[in-house]
Amino acid sequence: MAQVKFTKNEMGRLQKKLVQLKKYLPTLQLKKMLLQAEVNKAGEEIARYHRLYKEEIITFETSVKLLSDPSVTYLKKDTLIKDKSFHMDNIAGIEVPVLSSVTFEKSEDPLTDRPFWHSDMVEHLRCTKKAFLMWKTAEKKKNILLAELRSVSIRVNLFEKRLIPGTMSDMVKIKIFLGDQDLAAVSLSKLAKEKIEKRKLEEEERGLCK
């Protein structure tokens, strides 16, 4: 920790520092609140997408018992992910990923070879894969927000528990020191004045005796 300089210039510097700290702290506190709210929302998204994923899995597992091997082959071809794209969303100054779209491969096999329930099963499987991607993207989003929340929380604690109290404490020490100096200066000045007046009085008395 830097040594405190007991000077008026140091007091002025600390006063400016304290103003800046108190001005910036509310911004950090607000960002912390916003991030906490977004982390909670991301947690709700994770729960929602995970629940959707599990529901689609249950639907598929219930129906898959009716499928023959060739049908499973068709389903695999029609539910292969060809491409997925993401965009970045800005939340409280932090970039987080958001799933934009998912594109599936188109099978070249004739549709007439498909059983009547094939389209419904393909839709279920595609929804399952989309739900899985949204679930994992929401988890990644939450992890990014959590990391930033921890960082901001550390800074808020630093401001509230160390920087601001420490600066105020140093200002009090300097104020006391400067006050003691002023008091000492006044005392010395008073003492010097008394000595001067005493000397003058003595000189006047000597002049009267001549």
Side-chain angles (χ1 to χ4, degrees):
M1 184 176 289
Q3 187 78 18
V4 179
K5 298 177 182 178
F6 296 96
T7 64
K8 291 183 178 179
N9 286 341
E10 182 70 359
M11 173 65 85
R13 187 187 71 81
L14 290 177
Q15 286 175 335
K16 291 179 181 179
K17 179 182 177 181
L18 184 62
V19 169
Q20 291 175 341
L21 291 173
K22 287 186 173 181
K23 182 179 179 181
Y24 190 50
L25 178 58
T27 302
L28 283 176
Q29 291 171 327
L30 177 59
K31 186 172 184 179
K32 180 181 176 181
M33 290 174 58
L34 290 174
L35 285 169
Q36 184 61 68
E38 291 297 333
V39 166
N40 294 340
K41 285 172 61 178
E44 293 172 359
E45 285 181 9
I46 291 170
R48 183 168 67 254
Y49 294 141
H50 182 255
R51 183 169 59 250
L52 177 60
Y53 172 71
K54 295 296 290 184
E55 289 172 354
E56 294 294 342
I57 284 289
I58 291 172
T59 300
F60 174 72
E61 288 178 344
T62 301
S63 304
V64 76
K65 299 175 183 178
L66 303 175
L67 306 181
S68 59
D69 289 340
S71 299
V72 172
T73 301
Y74 289 141
L75 286 173
K76 288 180 178 179
K77 289 180 180 180
D78 291 344
T79 57
L80 285 175
I81 295 177
K82 180 179 181 180
D83 187 31
K84 52 184 180 289
S85 63
F86 300 86
H87 69 270
M88 302 304 289
D89 194 12
N90 189 298
I91 297 178
I94 307 302
E95 297 289 321
V96 295
V98 178
L99 182 64
S100 298
S101 62
V102 181
T103 305
F104 292 91
E105 295 284 358
K106 291 184 178 180
S107 176
E108 296 180 356
D109 298 322
L111 294 176
T112 53
D113 294 338
R114 307 288 197 276
F116 68 92
W117 39 257
H118 175 81
S119 295
D120 289 340
M121 288 302 299
V122 166
E123 185 62 27
H124 278 309
L125 278 174
R126 288 182 175 181
C127 287
T128 300
K129 291 189 175 184
K130 285 182 181 178
F132 180 81
L133 288 172
M134 289 188 291
W135 168 28
K136 292 303 175 181
T137 302
E139 285 187 338
K140 186 174 181 179
K141 172 183 174 181
K142 182 180 179 181
N143 289 336
I144 293 173
L145 291 172
L146 269 175
E148 184 65 18
L149 176 59
R150 293 190 193 100
S151 176
V152 172
S153 296
I154 290 172
R155 292 165 69 190
V156 168
N157 288 336
L158 180 64
F159 272 61
E160 291 179 337
K161 297 179 180 179
R162 289 187 58 188
L163 294 179
I164 290 177
T167 301
M168 294 176 68
S169 176
D170 288 344
M171 289 173 65
V172 169
K173 292 176 184 177
I174 295 173
K175 185 176 181 180
I176 292 173
F177 178 82
L178 293 178
D180 289 344
Q181 275 196 330
D182 289 342
L183 183 61
V186 169
S187 298
L188 288 173
S189 176
K190 185 177 181 181
L191 183 61
K193 185 178 180 181
E194 288 176 352
K195 287 182 177 180
I196 292 172
E197 290 177 350
K198 183 179 180 181
R199 190 179 301 116
K200 285 182 177 179
L201 183 61
E202 290 174 348
E203 289 175 354
E204 288 175 357
E205 290 177 348
R206 283 197 297 271
L208 291 174
C209 292
K210 289 181 179 180

